[in-house]
């Protein structure tokens, strides 16, 4: 054989060897990939076949809960991933004081997470929804699990931009022993409430403990009264206020007169502008007052001051005779879906998980909050059971500023001018006129 023939024979032998190696390699992986023979062979019907890494979807979730405030969130995320092994939840949280600016920057950069925990109300979740950043969830079957009242904080013009995860309440704490000793039934309307306050006063006990050194407790009181007065008469008050079609003076005049009549009758703490919230709470906890107006979050402080106190909470019965009592309840956290998310299916499955009763029960318990699921009260403190049942029945209205486009201006002036009324520097109507002026200034400066 000459040199040329020997070279050709060698080349053919080498090519044959390469073909054999390639064939063996192809049979090993079953998918044509060169994996060096390390890929385990499994039957296509093997139920134990591990999920390929490429098929696991990463779901980014951002929220304003972090540290001690996370509650059950990590455990619930883990439970979700166990039930949905094709989804990996990556949660990023930070304190609420930083979150609003952080979220604004993320949306501006088109870099917001897939699911976002957003503050409720017109100036937050609804504003982002109207701007086109959030997905409309109104067509999802699991939306009906939530109470209509709680959905008001996340809805606008028939579109629902987020699910409401929990609620806080403002109401009237009452000393059960004093009520029992004086044979007072829980009042269910304004007439009965006035009668109860008068009976308590005649017994030599302060009816309502309140501190107004910063005006906040009057804001809380008016928030508890408005559902049964303002909104019972005009459910569209907020929309009309935002549109410039009504004013605080027009809509709040009667309610304001109702509230300040309690001071005139001697039912409130005397010279309350010199009394702090802590002092007012202490007076109630130690039995010096029969009632106290605040939120569910103050219960631990009340019990710490007097562990033996028998206390309950009711909605403010500001309603007329024959009308239902309406609680003042506010959504605390919401979950929305970024309209530009690339993993919408995973995001919807996450919100569907959060729409289940068992998920919401665990979350509400960890936040010491009320549930937003129809007919559910959750594991609430027995002292709050009565008002929890009212909320669960659907008879509640959101904290007022959640429906106001310029809530900050309105509430700031409310607290300032409220003190002037107690001090007789201005009257109740002038307080409302001041709130209207502050609102008008905010409109001009927007």
């Amino acid at each position: 054989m000459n040199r040329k023939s020997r070279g050709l024979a060698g080349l053919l032998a080498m090519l044959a060897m390469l073909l054999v190696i390639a064939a063996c390699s192809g049979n090993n992986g079953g998918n044509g990939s060169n994996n060096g023979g390390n890929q385990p062979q499994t039957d296509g019907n093997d139920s134990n076949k591990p999920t390929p890494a490429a098929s696991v979807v990463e779901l980014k979730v951002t929220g304003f809960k972090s540290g001690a405030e996370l509650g059950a969130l990590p455990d619930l995320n883990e439970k979700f991933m166990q039930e949905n092994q094709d989804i990996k939840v990556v949660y990023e949280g930070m304190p609420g004081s930083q979150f609003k600016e952080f979220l604004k920057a993320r949306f501006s950069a088109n870099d917001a997470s897939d699911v976002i925990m957003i503050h409720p109300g017109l100036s937050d979740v609804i504003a982002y929804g109207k701007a086109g950043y959030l997905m409309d969830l109104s067509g999802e079957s699991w939306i009906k699990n939530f109470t209509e009242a709680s959905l008001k904080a996340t809805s606008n013009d028939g579109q629902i931009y987020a699910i409401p995860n929990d609620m806080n309440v403002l109401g009237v704490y009452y000393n059960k022993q004093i009520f029992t000793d004086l044979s007072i039934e829980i009042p269910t309307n304004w007439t009965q409430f006035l009668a109860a306050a008068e009976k308590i006063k005649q017994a030599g006990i302060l009816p309502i403990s309140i501190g107004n050194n910063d005006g906040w407790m009057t804001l809380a009181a008016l928030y508890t009264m408005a559902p049964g007065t303002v909104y019972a008469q005009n459910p569209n008050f907020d929309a009309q206020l935002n549109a410039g079609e009504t004013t605080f003076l027009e809509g709040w005049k009667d309610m304001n007169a109702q509230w300040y009549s309690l001071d005139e009758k001697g039912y409130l703490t005397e010279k309350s502008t010199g009394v702090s919230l802590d002092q007012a709470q202490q007076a109630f906890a130690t039995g010096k007052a029969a009632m106290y107006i605040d939120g569910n979050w103050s219960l631990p402080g009340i019990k710490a001051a007097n562990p033996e106190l028998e206390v309950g909470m009711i909605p403010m019965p500001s309603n007329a005779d024959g009308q239902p009592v309406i609680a003042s309840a506010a959504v605390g956290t919401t979950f929305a879906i970024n309209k530009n998310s690339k993993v919408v299916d995973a995001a919807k499955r996450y919100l569907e998980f959060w729409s289940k009763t068992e998920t919401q029960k665990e979350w509400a318990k960890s936040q010491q909050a009320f549930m937003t699921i129809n007919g559910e009260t959750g594991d609430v403190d027995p002292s709050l059971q009565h008002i929890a049942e009212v909320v669960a029945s659907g008879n509640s209205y959101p904290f007022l500023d959640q429906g106001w486009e310029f809530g900050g201006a309105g509430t700031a002036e409310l607290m300032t001018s409220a003190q002037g009324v107690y001090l007789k520097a201005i009257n109740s109507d002038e307080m409302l006129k001041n709130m209207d002026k502050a609102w008008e200034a905010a409109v001009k400066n927007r």
Side-chain angles (χ1 to χ4, degrees):
M1 183 181 293
N2 59 32
R3 179 182 294 181
K4 184 174 181 181
S5 297
R6 287 198 300 270
L8 179 61
L11 179 60
L12 290 173
M14 185 179 295
L15 288 173
M17 184 178 295
L18 289 172
L19 288 172
V20 171
I21 293 172
C24 292
S25 175
N27 289 333
N28 190 19
N31 57 6
S33 62
N34 185 5
N35 51 28
N38 294 323
Q39 179 70 25
Q41 295 185 36
T42 58
D43 187 276
N45 296 320
D46 186 356
S47 60
N48 295 318
K49 181 178 179 180
T51 303
S55 69
V56 175
V57 172
E58 184 176 272
L59 181 69
K60 294 181 179 180
V61 182
T62 305
F64 53 83
K65 292 288 184 179
S66 62
E69 290 190 345
L70 282 172
L73 186 59
D75 290 340
L76 289 171
N77 281 343
E78 185 62 34
K79 183 178 179 182
F80 172 79
M81 287 189 286
Q82 290 175 357
E83 296 177 3
N84 300 268
Q85 295 191 17
D86 58 332
I87 301 174
K88 178 183 178 182
V89 176
V90 179
Y91 177 80
E92 179 183 21
M94 65 186 61
S97 58
Q98 304 171 18
F99 188 73
K100 289 193 176 185
E101 289 303 316
F102 166 83
L103 186 59
K104 186 184 299 183
R106 282 289 183 91
F107 272 126
S108 297
N110 195 28
D111 189 34
S113 296
D114 304 298
V115 174
I116 308 151
M117 180 188 290
I118 305 185
H119 289 89
L122 190 63
S123 60
D124 287 281
V125 64
I126 295 175
Y128 280 115
K130 290 171 66 176
Y133 290 111
L134 306 178
M135 185 171 294
D136 176 20
L137 306 175
S138 59
E140 303 301 326
S141 60
W142 30 265
I143 280 294
K144 66 179 183 295
N145 295 348
F146 297 95
T147 65
E148 183 178 348
S150 67
L151 287 170
K152 289 179 180 177
T154 65
S155 307
N156 184 71
D157 289 338
Q159 294 193 323
I160 300 173
Y161 297 117
I163 59 171
N165 289 324
D166 51 70
M167 297 188 83
N168 292 308
V169 296
L170 283 165
V172 182
Y173 285 101
Y174 70 101
N175 185 313
K176 291 185 175 181
Q177 189 61 55
I178 292 176
F179 271 53
T180 298
D181 292 344
L182 298 178
S183 300
I184 298 174
E185 298 289 333
I186 292 177
T188 60
N189 57 54
W190 187 248
T191 300
Q192 293 175 4
F193 184 73
L194 292 178
E198 181 61 27
K199 196 168 188 177
I200 294 166
K201 180 184 176 183
Q202 293 301 321
I205 303 170
L206 174 65
I208 304 170
S209 178
I210 189 167
N212 279 299
N213 69 335
D214 61 0
W216 189 91
M217 291 197 75
T218 297
L219 180 147
L222 293 176
Y223 274 32
T224 65
M225 291 191 67
T229 54
V230 176
Y231 297 96
Q233 302 300 320
N234 181 10
N236 298 317
F237 176 78
D238 288 348
Q240 294 172 359
L241 185 67
N242 293 329
E245 297 170 358
T246 191
T247 64
F248 286 110
L249 181 60
E250 293 171 345
W252 279 33
K253 183 180 178 71
D254 292 341
M255 178 188 70
N256 243 33
Q258 272 184 254
W259 170 251
Y260 283 108
S261 72
L262 299 178
D263 192 44
E264 295 166 3
K265 295 175 186 294
Y267 298 158
L268 303 181
T269 300
E270 188 176 1
K271 297 180 180 179
S272 65
T273 55
V275 178
S276 70
L277 182 149
D278 287 345
Q279 289 173 318
Q281 186 181 109
Q282 185 73 13
F284 171 73
T286 55
K288 296 177 182 177
M291 293 180 281
Y292 169 76
I293 300 170
D294 207 348
N296 56 286
W297 53 83
S298 66
L299 183 60
I302 293 172
K303 288 191 169 184
N306 183 4
E308 304 301 319
L309 181 67
E310 295 182 41
V311 60
M313 183 192 248
I314 61 172
M316 171 66 84
S318 58
N319 51 294
D321 299 6
Q323 298 297 314
V325 178
I326 306 175
S328 178
V331 171
T333 64
T334 79
F335 273 134
I337 297 177
N338 181 351
K339 198 171 184 179
N340 293 324
S341 170
K342 304 300 183 184
V343 290
V344 171
D345 177 67
K348 286 186 176 181
R349 284 159 63 185
Y350 186 73
L351 264 62
E352 182 176 11
F353 170 81
W354 276 85
S355 301
K356 296 178 179 179
T357 297
E358 57 268 28
T359 303
Q360 289 289 334
K361 276 187 177 180
E362 188 171 346
W363 171 248
K365 183 178 180 180
S366 76
Q367 298 294 300
Q368 296 186 354
F370 290 75
M371 291 184 67
T372 55
I373 300 295
N374 281 304
E376 295 288 344
T377 60
D379 188 11
V380 299
D381 189 289
S383 301
L384 305 174
Q385 187 63 37
H386 180 89
I387 197 167
E389 291 172 357
V390 175
V391 173
S393 73
N395 285 330
S396 67
Y397 196 89
F399 289 178
L400 308 190
D401 58 353
Q402 289 191 358
W404 297 349
E405 189 172 352
F406 303 101
T411 55
E413 185 58 44
L414 186 162
M415 291 187 287
T416 298
S417 287
Q419 293 172 298
V421 180
Y422 293 114
L423 294 169
K424 309 300 182 186
I426 59 175
N427 61 37
S428 175
D429 284 358
E430 288 171 327
M431 166 187 162
L432 299 180
K433 290 178 182 177
N434 288 343
M435 290 174 64
D436 286 328
K437 290 177 182 177
W439 185 279
E440 291 169 4
V443 172
K444 292 178 180 177
N445 294 328
R446 62 179 165 183

